[in-house]
Amino acid sequence: MTVLRPHAEDLYADELAVLAKSDDRPRPPGWRLSPWAVTTYLLGDGREITPKYIGPRRIVEVAVATLATDRALLLLGVPGTAKTWLSEHLAAAVSGDSTLLVQGTAGTAEEAIRYGWNYARLLAEGPSRDALTPSPVMRAMAEGRVARVEELTRMPSDVQDALITVLSEKTLPIPELNEEVQASRGFNVIATANDRDRGVNELSSALRRRFNTVVLPVPASAEEEVEIVSRRVAQLGRSLELPAAGGLEEIRRVVTVFRELRSGTTTDGRTTVKSPSGTLSTAEAISVVTSGIALATHFGDGVLRPGDIAAGIVGAVVQDPVSDRVVWQEYLETVVRERPDWRDFYRACRDVS
Ligand SMILES: Nc1ncnc2c1ncn2[C@@H]1O[C@H](COP(=O)(O)OP(=O)(O)OP(=O)(O)O)[C@@H](O)[C@H]1O
Ligand SMILES: [Mg+2]
């Protein structure tokens, strides 16, 4: 059986092995690689190590350096800025394991951060270490690995605060057994939180002080965003067995439309446009292009054309059927229509709008 989405440490096992072999710099206790090699793994070396994260080197260095201290790392940013992606690859490179994951939701309970019980055993045998079901955080502490907490600010505040003892005392008490689990060296936490959701369950200041915050930016230029989208689309295409049919021109178009609508002005700076309610993130651009390629592969001639991306773009832009539709129509008629080399795209959009 082949899995749909292998973990980073499995997918990139070869690259991690190459780095581990040539890495002669000092490794912090419990780390698989030196901070320098972790950074190379993330940014690529132009040869056999492919870039995973595309963005400012300094950001990655600060994130990696933080993990080597006793402070935890909080990746903050608007949706689709690769917070989850970076956290997975960081955990894979530092601990060789990206699976110690707690997903924060409104319903996340304290057991997800501390521990739960296997009730059958608890009733039969009473509280014992065998009846205890450790959380990913507890396992990370015991094994000296990196635990990941996704969407930290979506968790109820009292659950978030369960992390305070873990992060400041590096221990997790188990009062029922009169025991504790002490963190082994190599343990740390990477949390992600969405800028837009900041108001959901604001981090308490006690918890915030235990994190170093790294804000992930949106791609600085259209060129950078085109590169991110092309790279990820090619990777996804390979794992979904969709032939990657160039499509650079269409990728440029999706990125241009998204950037113009996001920023509220056209690339040449001459026309102001209204911004729709959705985020139009890089992640959404990636999925618009990937679905376009699926359309072209299964229902077209295998070449990505304007008609294959039009529906995806309209779907991403028009989230609110009333106000976003107005925004989209205006953009279509004042910007798209006026571009001579966008004729096909204009027609395709008219057909789906
Ligand atoms: N700078 C970047 N470098 C590499 N990949 C990127 C970059 N920005 C976005 N991506 C890609 O975008 C996709 C979505 O990223 P991810 O899910 O990590 O976003 P997120 O910040 O966690 O968003 P959310 O707030 O919605 O959870 C990933 O496939 C990732 O590869
Ligand atoms: Mg995420």
Side-chain angles (χ1 to χ4, degrees), residues 317-337:
V317 175
V318 182
Q319 304 271 320
D320 178 313
V322 182
S323 62
D324 289 340
R325 188 161 294 281
V326 176
V327 171
W328 173 245
Q329 284 301 341
E330 195 177 308
Y331 179 76
L332 194 60
E333 297 303 329
T334 56
V335 179
V336 178
R337 192 179 177 178

Side-chain angles (χ1 to χ4, degrees), residues 51-56 77-87 150-151 154 192-195 197 216-219 224 228-229 231-232 235-236 281-284 286:
K52 319 297 174 304
Y53 178 73
I54 296 167
V78 296
T81 40
K83 299 180 294 294
T84 303
W85 177 250
L86 189 59
S87 118
E150 279 288 310
E151 307 285 0
R154 294 215 175 147
T192 68
N194 204 304
D195 261 359
D197 298 344
L216 297 187
V218 291
E224 191 173 297
I228 298 171
V229 176
R231 246 174 213 293
R232 286 296 292 144
Q235 282 167 350
L236 287 169
S281 67
T282 314
E284 281 159 287
I286 293 170

Side-chain angles (χ1 to χ4, degrees), residues 8 35 38 40 57 110 132 163 177 212 239 259 266 270 293 302:
V38 171
T40 308
R57 177 172 204 97
E110 223 179 49
L132 184 141
L163 275 174
L177 304 179
N212 262 0
S239 67
R259 289 184 77 88
T266 51
R270 270 199 244 140
I293 293 179

